[in-house]
């Protein structure tokens, strides 16, 4: 019996594939939220595995803040093309133009929060009943209790006190009209698991994850990429730094780390020695202790 | 770098009464195994200072949502992660509060092992028994009883011995194969990750050593072949025009190409042509692998069907006896129909007969109370609209478990273990 044993990454993979297939089976109009970050890249890879040799039977959705790293878009378009899947893009700019949201001003202005409205509008426009995302429970305290199948009311909101119990491998995706689900197939993965899996599977990543020279701004202990979207204080000066990114999102709030890591092996070594969480580099979480919980209730990813 | 190819996954649940030190213990495991990052620790240090504590309150590390922080009590199951070079661990952290039987049932449903805490000053209490009985009911094979706060009883061996013998007397009722005892101080770190120098009379191993080495490989059922069909894969592309694969996760048993199989409920037989994965076909597949099976013959098979071996079939019936845990604030309505999910199959069910309630502190039967409320554990008989293909929960967690769903709210209202 000894040999009927899966290593833990294979077991995590199998669990995630099971959940992705459950979504395809239980819902009429599922979709995968693709941010361009490594977690959604892994999620897409798992979806591809789940339905092989068929194509992924649902579209990818990208919420575009307009403040993207060009590399992210290039990677996204190539991936969508390779997989032969449909891509839906929701533009935050459209939400601003329609007056659905108001652009933030000031030095910490970011479109990160505005994304929630664009996301909910996009889900509604395409009548998506289950949106899969690459969030993990180890990312942040408020996520530790998140379910694999996370129920949302008709306003897209999350009620932490009224979540369905999840038992064994039985996932309840039943819902009433207007309600939908967010599903998190890689809930049980940690950042380290994701990196080890990318290494094991040899998944190509955007070059942003590897060391490069970049003009950056240091602000509140975070290193931000210099870009036309960032308003600089008088005292702030852009400087050339040797950096890479641990997560990738909107350009205005994704922090870089000083790093020379140029290969997956070097990144894994660096992450395992690191004493900062990856979200520690994100400006959006620093706003308050409950920042994530509040955003989630409103319908954030 | 961890050699992930050799690493196994262990899922365990933690239970204890309020203030027995569960959060401190988990914080300690995360901290000592370096799963805590500096920024998280910084935040906890600040909160500890703010509260006027003169030590770092590690229990704050696992304090989840705001509602809980305000009430200072854990109200739901939370999942935590850490790993060592030997294993990756998933902790289902369940609260010890009296009314939360349902949370412990939820946390225990996916666990291989339960860590149960007792306070050395109080010994075995009602909650210890309840948590142990739930673990036993959910067929957790391994229990580790941690006798915590040994520092408050002078690391006294006699106190430890007394608790161990009390627990052993009680545990003879349990159906748990493997029970270990460890004297610890979660606060000081004794016998959690590092061996205690203050308890040289204890010659067992530390908690972490136990977690890293407990034998779990044989906890999966590799005998009865059960493959619930989850999704039918039909590429309909030029290249794979006639491909028809049955995707799913092996519930139990070992499947190989060439195996003769029978499809339930149709009863058609065929042979396995191939077991496919994205990485290529495999020579054998076992639980909990997710694979795609193709058959030699063209048979109409859909989600909810089950592929099994002809000589070893599950039970097939519409009358199902279960031990049921009610999980919803709305009591059970004896005249309602409920939706039911079992493996990948949906059905409807009525609760045809309520046999008895189980007193979860003593396991005694309560015969005449037929009102089923939140946290009640009862034995009932279901009648389903379609036959289910099942095994007893004792023999097979995957084909022996089911959930009931309210038709109106669509909430999961009950968990069932088939007898
Ligand atoms: N002296 C001592 N105190 C402990 C120990 N473990 C926990 N405590 C304290 O007991 C109290 C309750 O602990 P906590 O971890 O919050 O308990 P929980 O309710 O089970 O999560 C806190 O004040 C802890 O500092 C221990 O081993 N020794």
């Amino acid at each position: 019996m000894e040999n009927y044993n899966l290593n833990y990454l294979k077991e995590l993979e199998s669990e995630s594939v099971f959940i992705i297939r459950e979504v395809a089976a239980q819902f009429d109009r599922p979709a995968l939220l693709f941010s361009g970050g490594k977690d959604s890249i892994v999620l897409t890879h798992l979806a591809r595995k789940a339905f092989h040799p068929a194509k992924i039977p649902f579209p990818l959705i990208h919420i575009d803040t307009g403040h993207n790293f060009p590399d992210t878009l290039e990677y996204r378009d190539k991936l969508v093309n390779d997989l032969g899947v449909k891509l839906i893009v929701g533009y935050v700019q459209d939400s601003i133009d329609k007056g659905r949201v108001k652009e933030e001003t000031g030095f910490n202005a970011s479109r990160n929060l505005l994304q929630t409205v664009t996301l909910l509008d996009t889900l509604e426009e395409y009548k998506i009943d289950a949106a899969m995302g690459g969030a993990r429970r180890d990312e942040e305290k408020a996520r530790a209790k998140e379910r694999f199948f996370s129920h949302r009311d008709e306003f897209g909101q999350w009620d932490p006190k009224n979540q369905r119990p999840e038992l064994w491998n039985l996932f309840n995706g039943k819902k009433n009209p207007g309600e939908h689900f967010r599903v998190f197939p890689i809930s049980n993965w940690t950042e380290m698991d994701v990196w080890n899996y990318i290494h094991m599977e040899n998944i190509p990543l955007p070059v942003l994850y590897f060391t490069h020279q970049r003009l950056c701004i240091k602000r509140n202990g975070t290193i931000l990429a210099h870009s036309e979207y960032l308003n600089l204080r008088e005292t702030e000066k852009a400087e050339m730094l040797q950096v890479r990114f641990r997560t990738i999102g909107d350009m205005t709030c994704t922090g870089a780390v000083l790093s020379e890591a140029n290969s997956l092996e070097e990144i894994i070594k660096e992450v395992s020695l690191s004493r900062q969480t990856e979200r520690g580099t994100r400006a959006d979480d620093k706003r308050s202790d409950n920042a994530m919980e509040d955003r989630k209730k409103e319908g954030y990813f | 770098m961890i050699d992930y190819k050799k690493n196994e996954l262990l899922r365990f649940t933690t239970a204890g009464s309020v203030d027995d030190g569960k959060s401190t213990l988990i914080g300690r495991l995360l901290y000592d195994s370096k799963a805590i990052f500096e920024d998280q620790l910084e935040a906890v240090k600040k909160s500890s200072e703010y509260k006027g504590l003169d030590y770092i309150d590690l229990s704050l590390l696992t304090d989840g949502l705001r509602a809980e922080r305000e009430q200072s009590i854990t109200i739901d199951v939370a999942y935590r992660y850490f790993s060592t070079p030997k294993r990756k661990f998933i902790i289902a952290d369940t609260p010890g509060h009296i009314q939360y039987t349902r949370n412990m049932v939820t946390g225990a449903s996916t666990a291989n092992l339960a860590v149960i805490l007792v306070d050395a000053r109080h010994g075995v209490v009602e909650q210890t028994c309840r948590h142990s009985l739930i673990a036993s009911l959910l067929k957790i094979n391994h229990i580790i009883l941690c006798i915590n706060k040994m520092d408050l009883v002078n690391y006294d061996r006699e106190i430890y011995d007394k608790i161990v013998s009390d627990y052993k007397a009680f545990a003879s009722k349990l159906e748990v194969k493997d029970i270990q005892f460890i004297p610890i101080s979660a606060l000081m770190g004794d016998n959690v990750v590092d061996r205690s120098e203050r308890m040289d009379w204890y010659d067992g191993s530390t908690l972490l050593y136990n977690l890293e080495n407990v034998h779990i490989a044989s906890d999966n059922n590799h005998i009865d072949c059960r493959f619930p069909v989850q999704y039918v894969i039909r590429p309909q592309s030029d290249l794979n025009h006639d491909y028809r694969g049955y995707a799913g996760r092996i519930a139990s048993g070992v499947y190989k190409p060439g195996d003769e199989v029978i499809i339930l409920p149709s009863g058609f037989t065929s042979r396995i042509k191939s077991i496919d994965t994205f990485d290529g076909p495999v020579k054998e597949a076992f639980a909990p692998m997710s694979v795609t099976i193709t058959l030699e013959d063209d048979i109409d098979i859909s989600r909810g069907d089950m592929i099994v071996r002809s000589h070893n079939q599950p039970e097939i019936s519409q009358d199902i006896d279960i031990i049921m845990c009610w999980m919803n604030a709305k009591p059970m309505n004896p005249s309602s129909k409920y939706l039911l999910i079992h493996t990948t199959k949906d059905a409807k069910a009525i609760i045809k007969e309520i046999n008895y309630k189980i007193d979860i502190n003593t396991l005694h039967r309560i015969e005449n109370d037929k009102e089923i409320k939140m946290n009640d554990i009862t034995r009932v008989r279901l009648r389903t609209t379609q036959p289910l293909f099942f095994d007893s929960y004792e023999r097979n967690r995957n084909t022996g478990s089911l959930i009931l769903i309210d038709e109106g709210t669509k909430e999961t209202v009950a968990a069932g273990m088939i007898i």
Side-chain angles (χ1 to χ4, degrees), chain A residues 5 8 14-15 18 22 49 141 144-145 164 168 172 174 176 188 193 199 275 277 290 293-294, chain B residues 4 7 11 36 38-39 63 66 68-69 79 81 88 109 230 279 288 290 303 346 408 410 412:
Chain A
N5 227 344
Y8 84 98
S14 170
E15 175 179 85
F18 176 81
E22 246 349 76
K49 285 194 151 188
K141 273 195 208 172
K145 312 202 156 180
R164 298 172 176 181
W168 297 292
N172 173 3
K174 312 245 183 270
N176 285 314
N188 275 336
D193 298 336
H199 182 247
R275 305 305 303 145
T277 59
N290 289 315
E293 191 178 332
D294 291 338
Chain B
Y4 48 73
N7 262 27
R11 299 173 198 250
I36 300 302
E38 233 164 53
D39 47 337
D63 220 11
R66 177 192 296 186
E68 279 174 49
R69 279 205 295 287
Y79 295 87
Y81 304 86
K88 172 186 166 92
S109 74
Q230 192 186 5
D279 306 299
S290 285
R303 175 174 165 88
D346 282 7
K410 307 287 194 290
T412 304

Side-chain angles (χ1 to χ4, degrees), chain A residues 17 27 46 68 101 119 128 175 192 221 276 282:
Chain A
V17 163
F27 295 92
L46 291 164
N68 296 295
V101 293
L119 171 65
I128 303 300
K175 59 188 183 328
M192 222 27 215
Q276 281 264 323
R282 293 188 63 139

Side-chain angles (χ1 to χ4, degrees), chain A residues 137 140-146 158 292-293 296, chain B residues 64-65:
Chain A
R137 288 182 184 138
E140 218 276 339
K141 273 195 208 172
R143 290 210 194 269
K145 312 202 156 180
E146 184 56 284
W158 181 67
M292 173 65 100
E293 191 178 332
K296 271 179 66 71
Chain B
L65 304 172

Side-chain angles (χ1 to χ4, degrees), chain B residues 17-24 55 59 148-149 151-152 185-187:
Chain B
S17 322
V18 180
D19 284 344
D20 279 353
K22 200 162 48 68
S23 314
T24 309
Y55 59 94
S59 73
N148 189 32
K149 307 200 186 180
D151 55 303
L152 296 183
S185 166
L187 194 68

Side-chain angles (χ1 to χ4, degrees), chain A residues 43-287:
Chain A
L43 185 58
T44 310
H45 181 78
L46 291 164
R48 178 184 211 173
K49 285 194 151 188
F51 302 103
H52 174 83
K55 286 182 190 167
I56 297 176
F58 39 75
L60 266 47
I61 294 183
H62 181 220
I63 301 304
D64 185 340
T65 61
H67 297 168
N68 296 295
F69 293 98
D71 188 40
T72 303
L73 297 187
E74 207 175 290
Y75 184 95
R76 175 195 79 186
D77 293 341
K78 177 168 185 315
L79 183 67
V80 165
N81 192 43
D82 290 350
L83 296 175
V85 295
K86 181 178 153 80
L87 174 72
I88 295 170
V89 184
Y91 295 96
V92 171
Q93 188 63 50
D94 286 352
S95 304
I96 295 170
D97 295 345
K98 282 189 212 142
R100 297 274 295 135
V101 293
K102 218 168 137 252
E103 182 111 62
E104 291 182 6
T105 53
F107 294 114
N108 286 322
S110 163
R111 288 183 164 183
N112 197 48
L113 275 177
L114 311 185
Q115 286 187 83
T116 302
V117 171
T118 311
L119 171 65
L120 292 176
D121 287 355
T122 308
L123 296 183
E124 190 168 318
E125 180 181 346
Y126 290 90
K127 308 212 162 13
I128 303 300
D129 55 2
M132 275 176 275
R136 310 185 318 264
R137 288 182 184 138
D138 81 319
E139 271 178 72
E140 218 276 339
K141 273 195 208 172
R143 290 210 194 269
K145 312 202 156 180
E146 184 56 284
R147 304 295 196 261
F148 281 98
F149 274 43
S150 178
H151 178 258
R152 303 300 159 106
D153 64 17
E154 53 206 306
F155 305 105
Q157 295 186 346
W158 181 67
D159 176 1
K161 282 214 168 144
N162 190 23
Q163 288 293 303
R164 298 172 176 181
E166 246 167 29
L167 296 123
W168 297 292
N169 297 308
L170 300 172
F171 295 98
N172 173 3
K174 312 245 183 270
K175 59 188 183 328
N176 285 314
E179 299 174 346
H180 71 273
F181 277 81
R182 296 288 173 79
V183 180
F184 305 107
I186 62 167
S187 287
N188 275 336
W189 301 45
T190 61
E191 184 189 14
M192 222 27 215
D193 298 336
V194 169
W195 283 114
N196 278 325
Y197 185 74
I198 289 170
H199 182 247
M200 181 173 93
E201 295 286 297
N202 219 345
I203 303 172
L205 286 185
V207 292
L208 294 168
Y209 280 107
F210 301 94
T211 185
H212 56 280
Q213 293 253 320
R214 175 179 292 272
L215 262 184
C216 297
I217 312 289
K218 287 187 181 158
R219 180 182 287 177
N220 300 335
T222 306
I223 302 172
L224 295 171
H226 179 55
S227 72
E228 56 188 300
Y229 314 119
L230 204 63
N231 301 325
L232 290 199
R233 290 194 176 84
E234 258 174 48
T235 51
E236 288 173 329
K237 239 181 43 224
E239 53 189 313
M240 191 61 89
L241 297 173
Q242 188 74 28
V243 295
R244 59 174 211 88
F245 292 90
R246 271 175 89 181
T247 63
I248 293 179
D250 183 276
M251 264 190 110
T252 60
C253 66
T254 306
V257 288
L258 293 174
S259 168
E260 311 252 310
N262 203 17
S263 65
L264 282 173
E265 287 85 356
E266 283 168 19
I267 290 176
I268 290 172
K269 204 163 141 206
E270 188 184 286
V271 173
S272 64
L273 292 176
S274 161
R275 305 305 303 145
Q276 281 264 323
T277 59
E278 58 187 329
R279 296 206 78 91
T281 60
R282 293 188 63 139
D284 46 340
D285 283 341
K286 291 209 171 147
R287 290 184 173 190

Side-chain angles (χ1 to χ4, degrees), chain B residues 107-126:
Chain B
S109 74
T110 51
N112 314 87
L113 179 149
V115 171
I116 298 178
L117 273 107
V118 299
D119 186 322
R121 296 168 303 173
H122 307 144
V124 175
V125 296
E126 195 174 290

